[in-house]
Amino acid sequence: MLYAHGNSSREDTGSPAGELSTLREGIRWMFLAVVRSWTTVAAITLLLLLAAVAHILTRSPTYTAVSQVQISNLRLHTSRDDTFFAEAQIEPRFLETQMQILRSERIASSVIDQLNLVQVLAEKPKSSLARFAERVRALLGKSPAAEEDGSGEAARRAAIRMVQRGLGAQQVGLSEVIELGFSSDDRELSARIANDIVRAYIGDQAAARDDSAQTASSWLRERLREVGPRARVLTIASPPEHSSNIRGLLILAIAGVLGVAFGSLVALTKALLDGTVRVPEQVGSVVAAKFL
């Protein structure tokens, strides 16, 4: 075992001073490894920045129209002399159920029928990305007509997926208000779909109350039609003025950070796989591996 007199602090790695010295040497080694491979780090960072710039220049703008709905839950209470309505306390589970109903296929189908969305999407100009995807399918021998059946069911399913994918609903704080937003590349269409989703939801809840009251007596039927979830529109969605895309500068910053991090990882991996002695501290390990 090699031992240098007067350098016990370097050899005593079990002490706090020795551990701190080892940590400093490790950090120094990693820093030097990254600096020696600065061209690799710069190349990877530049590639990610170019990819980010290409994404920013080719992406389609996304517009989010927002509507707010207050949802309450009325219950029918009876006493000895009278029957009255009372608003039940809203629980998070109740609001989550209503948000799932807003995202349901039933609501999406009602919106598609009301706005004739299948025809609107068919007449809408396709984006450059969609045209590129069609060219790829054509090169692979898959024609768009072969993917659709005669009844247009595939187009309807695609419209349902578009509505469900673009819809976002969340509770506003701890209130009874649900903020509903719809995102698409058409500001006018985003507002129309957001408002029609609210309309379809209110109509669906009214139909559910009517169905539950059918088996009751005539006196009770009128009262049962008033109980259950009740929605009140607080904000009507309007066409947004600005896109909701992530800012280009933020995308470039994220790409730069990822490029430096990934490039540094590649540089450290190369240094670990390289057995060349570059610092004096490696001499001891090389001699020990050779003679012990």
Side-chain angles (χ1 to χ4, degrees):
M1 178 177 179
L2 295 178
Y3 177 75
H5 182 70
N7 196 21
S8 59
S9 63
R10 183 181 294 275
E11 296 293 334
D12 187 12
T13 57
S15 64
E19 293 179 356
L20 181 59
S21 176
T22 303
L23 178 60
R24 288 174 178 173
E25 292 297 337
I27 295 175
R28 177 174 174 268
W29 176 84
M30 289 189 292
F31 176 76
L32 292 176
V34 173
V35 171
R36 282 192 297 267
S37 301
W38 68 270
T39 55
T40 301
V41 178
I44 293 176
T45 304
L46 181 60
L47 286 176
L48 287 182
L49 287 174
L50 290 176
V53 171
H55 170 70
I56 294 171
L57 295 177
T58 58
R59 65 177 176 174
S60 300
T62 300
Y63 300 97
T64 302
V66 178
S67 176
Q68 288 187 337
V69 182
Q70 179 186 4
I71 298 180
S72 57
N73 189 21
L74 290 181
R75 295 295 184 186
L76 184 64
H77 294 268
T78 58
S79 63
R80 179 177 301 179
D81 300 325
D82 197 7
T83 301
F84 59 93
F85 297 102
E87 185 174 336
Q89 184 178 2
I90 297 296
E91 299 179 355
R93 185 175 60 179
F94 172 80
L95 285 181
E96 180 62 29
T97 301
Q98 303 311 307
M99 286 188 285
Q100 292 301 322
I101 294 175
L102 283 166
R103 300 186 184 102
S104 66
E105 187 171 323
R106 176 197 291 267
I107 300 298
S109 297
S110 176
V111 172
I112 290 170
D113 294 336
Q114 178 69 21
L115 299 180
N116 195 15
L117 203 55
V118 174
Q119 185 66 25
V120 170
L121 294 178
E123 297 175 353
K124 186 179 177 181
K126 297 181 179 179
S127 63
S128 58
L129 183 60
R131 292 194 296 268
F132 176 74
E134 287 187 355
R135 293 174 184 173
V136 172
R137 286 197 297 267
L139 291 175
L140 296 176
K142 297 180 180 180
S143 61
E147 298 179 358
E148 298 184 3
D149 51 20
S151 62
E153 184 64 24
R156 184 176 181 83
R157 296 299 305 177
I160 290 176
R161 288 195 300 270
M162 189 274 288
V163 172
Q164 292 178 326
R165 186 170 55 249
L167 176 63
Q170 62 180 359
Q171 181 183 5
V172 179
L174 299 178
S175 65
E176 301 177 352
V177 178
I178 291 180
E179 186 175 83
L180 184 146
F182 188 84
S183 301
S184 73
D185 57 356
D186 188 328
R187 52 167 56 94
E188 298 288 341
L189 186 62
S190 294
R192 291 172 58 193
I193 292 178
N195 291 325
D196 208 67
I197 287 174
V198 175
R199 177 207 59 79
Y201 168 75
I202 295 175
D204 182 75
Q205 294 302 307
R209 290 193 298 270
D210 290 340
D211 291 341
S212 64
Q214 292 301 320
T215 57
S217 62
S218 58
W219 176 85
L220 187 59
R221 187 180 303 126
E222 296 300 324
R223 286 159 177 80
L224 289 179
R225 287 196 177 100
E226 300 298 326
V227 301
R230 311 286 296 185
R232 184 165 67 98
V233 180
L234 301 179
T235 304
I236 299 176
S238 58
E241 297 180 359
H242 306 287
S243 68
S244 56
N245 289 13
I246 301 177
R247 296 179 63 88
L249 290 178
L250 179 59
I251 294 177
L252 290 176
I254 294 174
V257 171
L258 292 178
V260 173
F262 185 67
S264 300
L265 180 61
V266 172
L268 292 175
T269 303
K270 289 172 58 179
L272 288 173
L273 297 178
D274 187 6
T276 305
V277 176
R278 296 183 182 274
V279 294
E281 287 77 6
Q282 292 180 293
V283 176
S285 61
V286 173
V287 174
K290 185 175 182 63
F291 294 102
L292 296 182

